[in-house]
Amino acid sequence: MSAFILVVGLVVAAYVLLRKFVAGARCTSRAKLHGKTVIVTGSNTGIGRETAVDLARRGARVILACRSKIRGEAASAIVKRDSRSSNVVFMQLDLASLKSVRSFAETFLRTEKNLDILVNNAGVYMQGRTEDGLGMMFGVNHIGHFLLTHLLLDRLKECGPSRIVNVSSVAHQFGSLDFNLLSAHKEFGTGNSVIDVTKIYSNSKLCNVLFTHELAKRLQGTKVTCYSLHPGVISTELTRYQNPLLRKLLKPISALFSKDVEAGAQTTLHCALQEGIEGLSGQYFSNCSVKKVHPKARDDAVAKKLWEVSEKLCSLS
């Protein structure tokens, strides 16, 4: 019996240590945001909603930018309840539609005077096509946010110091950008196998890091800074379109090694709030600290080309 108790004790201790390690660092900023306005895309669930709760709790006016009206309004009620703030507003935004992105920006600029923090959090992991014929992951994870940021940039500059936070992923390390493939398929990849879909997702996350890298250069001389980040391995609804059987098989393993949404929001909050990181604009963060990225994720020529291609796809040039 004593041996059994010892084994159980060791297992429990190992689990507690593993969970503590997985949870990672926390945002230590005590910044208050009264009078500030924040947009969080994809904030109806997961780390986006948890980010919105924290920012609302600090006094910010928080705009929940979500595709589904039903889910967005439900999230608004949850964020208000959990933050104890009534200064939370749902506004419809479908990042798979450039028309919707433009409509959202027009409405926001007409009805809101300030914009201090833009959190480009929304993301999808699924094949398909956007309303504009782009690959779904490239279109939503990169192009939709690229256009949104462009349309709101002047307001961010007016309200500076302000910040743009782009939620990427460690998966960007496995990405690569083939512009010939993009030209032919309007997506950085083809195929429907698990490996193909994961590769295409990784490509879209590389776009996030390169977009941030180039954006920081273009923001020099302004009071706007930008950051990309890996939130950690999070148990969220990102993979809700994944093969159901595969998702079920991986769930126990995923649960063991995944952060909860509160822990997953910490690096986003760090980039949005932490004092003294303005000099790190354009950098990539993980676990609430800046990390060095692979040369392909800071390639000036590729970042510039991605920017120019993105402008064309958004009819900005």
Side-chain angles (χ1 to χ4, degrees), residues 139-209:
V140 171
N141 298 353
H142 170 62
I143 287 293
H145 283 130
F146 177 89
L147 178 60
L148 178 66
T149 302
H150 174 85
L151 296 174
L152 299 177
L153 202 50
D154 284 345
R155 183 63 54 86
L156 283 159
K157 290 177 180 177
E158 291 169 9
C159 297
S162 54
R163 297 186 183 186
I164 300 165
V165 180
N166 296 320
V167 179
S168 181
S169 167
V170 69
H172 81 272
Q173 295 179 1
F174 309 107
S176 59
L177 304 188
D178 183 335
F179 288 96
N180 290 326
L181 199 60
L182 178 66
S183 179
H185 300 281
K186 293 190 175 182
E187 177 62 279
F188 283 116
T190 60
N192 292 293
S193 71
V194 173
I195 293 176
D196 291 333
V197 175
T198 301
K199 174 66 173 172
I200 295 168
Y201 175 76
S202 300
N203 297 341
S204 73
K205 296 288 98 179
L206 178 57
C207 287
N208 295 154
V209 180

Side-chain angles (χ1 to χ4, degrees), residues 54-186:
D54 187 287
L55 296 172
R57 193 179 287 139
R58 293 170 185 265
R61 177 171 175 79
V62 179
I63 310 299
L64 307 181
C66 315
R67 179 179 60 84
S68 168
K69 187 174 187 293
I70 294 173
R71 297 185 73 186
E73 290 178 344
S76 178
I78 293 171
V79 173
K80 287 178 181 178
R81 180 198 69 198
D82 291 354
S83 66
R84 298 184 179 180
S85 170
S86 60
N87 207 5
V88 179
V89 179
F90 160 71
M91 288 179 61
Q92 196 162 25
L93 169 66
D94 182 358
L95 289 160
S97 164
L98 297 182
K99 179 180 178 182
S100 175
V101 175
R102 287 190 167 90
S103 177
F104 171 89
E106 181 182 345
T107 300
F108 176 86
L109 293 172
R110 186 178 68 250
T111 60
E112 301 287 336
K113 290 195 292 186
N114 300 322
L115 179 57
D116 302 276
I117 304 172
L118 171 62
V119 181
N120 290 322
N121 164 82
V124 295
Y125 178 91
M126 61 179 291
Q127 284 290 56
R129 290 283 157 181
T130 69
E131 181 179 284
D132 306 281
L134 303 172
M136 185 63 74
M137 286 185 275
F138 174 64
V140 171
N141 298 353
H142 170 62
I143 287 293
H145 283 130
F146 177 89
L147 178 60
L148 178 66
T149 302
H150 174 85
L151 296 174
L152 299 177
L153 202 50
D154 284 345
R155 183 63 54 86
L156 283 159
K157 290 177 180 177
E158 291 169 9
C159 297
S162 54
R163 297 186 183 186
I164 300 165
V165 180
N166 296 320
V167 179
S168 181
S169 167
V170 69
H172 81 272
Q173 295 179 1
F174 309 107
S176 59
L177 304 188
D178 183 335
F179 288 96
N180 290 326
L181 199 60
L182 178 66
S183 179
H185 300 281
K186 293 190 175 182

Side-chain angles (χ1 to χ4, degrees), residues 212-237:
T212 307
H213 179 77
E214 179 67 16
L215 179 60
K217 290 185 173 186
R218 295 170 183 255
L219 290 174
Q220 288 180 4
T222 74
K223 292 184 178 180
V224 186
T225 53
C226 60
Y227 315 89
S228 64
L229 67 100
H230 169 55
V233 179
I234 317 296
S235 181
T236 69
E237 294 185 20

